Amino acid sequence: MEDQAKNRNQRVVTFLNRDEVDFLDKLGKDALFSSGSKLSRAKLIAWLVDMLKGLQITGENLHTEADLEARISAAIKQIESQK
């Protein structure tokens, strides 16, 4: 029963500007036309969250968007250097 509770989706309301919404829509449309898979905005955002979890990004001492970008870049560089 506990596993079922972990896998239930939760509704999250977010406010994105027009450019952000357009970008997500373009990703979804590109996927649809290139692979035949329709990707919703919600699915894309969920995948981004899963990616951050996989990169072991935490919120510790995170203050700005630039801080987050730097952490993501550092994590990706570390993965690339291990190849």
Side-chain angles (χ1 to χ4, degrees):
M1 184 73 163
E2 187 174 309
D3 287 335
Q4 288 177 341
K6 284 183 185 178
N7 291 327
R8 277 193 215 145
N9 290 332
Q10 300 291 313
R11 182 178 177 92
V12 175
V13 176
T14 184
F15 297 96
L16 301 174
N17 66 39
R18 186 77 237 165
D19 288 337
E20 294 161 342
V21 171
D22 289 346
F23 178 77
L24 291 175
D25 288 346
K26 183 178 179 340
L27 282 177
K29 286 178 186 174
D30 289 348
L32 177 63
F33 292 123
S34 65
S35 69
S37 297
K38 183 175 183 337
L39 301 177
S40 67
R41 294 174 191 159
K43 184 176 280 190
L44 290 166
I45 292 169
W47 286 355
L48 289 168
V49 169
D50 291 342
M51 180 195 71
L52 292 176
K53 285 171 52 181
L55 292 174
Q56 299 177 341
I57 303 293
T58 69
E60 189 173 332
N61 296 316
L62 185 65
H63 299 284
T64 65
E65 181 179 350
D67 293 341
L68 180 60
E69 288 177 13
R71 288 185 192 183
I72 293 168
S73 294
I76 291 171
K77 285 178 185 173
Q78 182 179 6
I79 290 169
E80 288 176 348
S81 70
Q82 294 172 353
K83 290 183 178 179

